[in-house]
Amino acid sequence: MNQNNCTWVTEFLLLGLSDDPQTQLLLIVLFLAVYLGTVLGSLLLIYLVITDSQLHTPMYFFLCNLSLADLGISTSIVPQALVHMLMKKNVISFKGCAAQIFFSIVSGATQCSLLAVMSYDRYLAICDPMHYSVIMTGRICAQLALGCWICGTVASSVDTIFTVCLPYQGDNKIAHFFCDAPVLLTLATGDTHKAEIAIFFMGVVILLVPVSLVLVSYGFIIVTVIRMKTTSGRLKIFSTCGSHLLVVTLFYGTLIISYMTSNSSREQIKHVAVFYGVINPMLNPLIYSLRNKDVMRAFRNSVNGKES
């Protein structure tokens, strides 16, 4: 094997969010509560969409995929963080670190693509309702969802390979509570220029391109809403799109701060990571459920044992 590709570090020490015992206890309670909320909320939303025939539409199909991505992000980060805080042993193997980078980025990058596809779905439903059912067929929806997961896998593979193939010697302390590619690069002993360019490029593709598609889609939606004559029609559209816009703003905003800004401090990156990796996956099911009459109706029918 080439000497430059040898890896001497076999495990990493995650420094976590805090060394203070009281703060750690608070974080354990918070992380556990949020993770349980994420799992229950996402699985409930998926169950309702599958069992309620009135939710068998493209929007809720993509919402199911978004819930799966939420579960992926949260599960790849939170359980390991909880174990480390409970066991007081913050060591993770090199392979475990590589796996965590891969699966967390797969879910995150897939979610980026899904949010763009969902905005396109809303654009068609509002701006071209006559052709909506013709364009957004079950087959097209399945292909779009599969394409999102493929894009996420490709982006994650590139970031993971460029990160773990670097040589790591000596310092194995990661100033984070999970393995994150940009943070891990700071420990590499070799030239990280190519890896940084690759990660930045994938960030442009998987972050800025979807954001641009979202902005264009909602630009057309806003123009359509302005041209509407009825106030009720405008309110209905704002109610439908408000949830999606809120999720888009929270998710893309935190990721861009973390991955696309070079002057972010380590503490800032950790705090932003808590939001997009821990808090945000729990918020998505709540935002889409509490602001959605169809989902609330399906939930009440499920509780009351009614068929739809």
Side-chain angles (χ1 to χ4, degrees):
M1 183 182 290
N2 192 318
Q3 182 75 6
N4 292 328
N5 290 331
C6 289
T7 300
W8 287 266
V9 172
T10 58
E11 61 184 21
F12 293 101
L13 180 65
L14 294 166
L15 300 182
L17 292 167
S18 175
D19 293 329
D20 181 60
Q22 291 185 340
T23 303
Q24 282 201 344
L25 179 60
L26 180 63
L27 288 171
I28 289 171
V29 174
L30 175 65
F31 275 37
L32 181 60
V34 170
Y35 182 64
L36 291 176
T38 300
V39 173
L40 293 175
S42 297
L43 291 179
L44 177 60
L45 195 56
I46 293 171
Y47 169 78
L48 292 176
V49 172
I50 292 174
T51 58
D52 193 295
S53 59
Q54 295 186 34
L55 299 182
H56 292 175
T57 64
M59 182 177 74
Y60 293 109
F61 171 74
F62 294 129
L63 191 54
C64 271
N65 281 271
L66 190 68
S67 295
L68 288 174
D70 284 333
L71 283 172
I73 294 175
S74 188
T75 302
S76 65
I77 295 174
V78 180
Q80 169 261 326
L82 283 171
V83 169
H84 284 177
M85 286 188 286
L86 288 168
M87 302 297 293
K88 307 294 183 182
K89 186 178 181 182
N90 298 351
V91 175
I92 185 171
S93 67
F94 188 90
K95 291 182 179 179
C97 189
Q100 188 173 56
I101 291 174
F102 177 78
F103 287 111
S104 62
I105 296 179
V106 164
S107 300
T110 299
Q111 188 165 354
C112 289
S113 301
L114 282 169
L115 289 172
V117 169
M118 291 173 72
S119 67
Y120 175 69
D121 172 73
R122 291 300 84 205
Y123 156 74
L124 286 177
I126 294 167
C127 301
D128 194 12
M130 298 295 292
H131 299 95
Y132 177 74
S133 59
V134 177
I135 298 174
M136 297 301 286
T137 61
R139 182 178 180 180
I140 294 297
C141 290
Q143 290 174 346
L144 286 171
L146 179 61
C148 290
W149 286 99
I150 290 175
C151 287
T153 303
V154 171
S156 181
S157 299
V158 171
D159 284 1
T160 305
I161 289 171
F162 271 92
T163 301
V164 302
C165 285
L166 290 168
Y168 293 89
Q169 292 176 283
D171 188 11
N172 70 336
K173 296 179 181 178
I174 300 177
H176 214 318
F177 66 97
F178 71 96
C179 287
D180 199 14
V183 180
L184 193 61
L185 285 180
T186 63
L187 300 181
T189 53
D191 183 12
T192 62
H193 183 64
K194 291 182 179 179
E196 289 172 353
I197 291 176
I199 291 175
F200 183 81
F201 175 75
M202 294 313 301
V204 170
V205 172
I206 211 66
L207 278 174
L208 299 187
V209 172
V211 166
S212 300
L213 293 174
V214 170
L215 292 176
V216 170
S217 297
Y218 274 94
F220 282 110
I221 290 173
I222 290 171
V223 171
T224 302
V225 170
I226 292 174
R227 291 176 179 175
M228 284 184 172
K229 297 180 180 179
T230 60
T231 305
S232 60
R234 293 178 182 177
L235 292 175
K236 184 178 180 180
I237 290 175
F238 280 129
S239 177
T240 303
C241 298
S243 301
H244 184 250
L245 273 176
L246 182 58
V247 170
V248 165
T249 303
L250 293 174
F251 186 73
Y252 283 134
T254 52
L255 283 183
I256 288 174
I257 290 173
S258 183
Y259 287 96
M260 302 300 293
T261 55
S262 58
N263 59 346
S264 299
S265 66
R266 290 186 178 183
E267 288 300 314
Q268 183 182 17
I269 290 175
K270 283 198 291 186
H271 294 155
V272 170
V274 170
F275 188 83
Y276 78 75
V278 181
I279 306 297
N280 193 66
M282 181 197 67
L283 292 179
N284 286 351
L286 290 176
I287 291 171
Y288 281 109
S289 299
L290 296 177
R291 292 178 56 88
N292 192 299
K293 294 180 180 179
D294 292 333
V295 174
M296 293 305 295
R297 175 199 51 77
F299 176 72
R300 286 192 296 268
N301 288 343
S302 178
V303 171
N304 296 329
K306 295 180 181 178
E307 294 184 1
S308 57

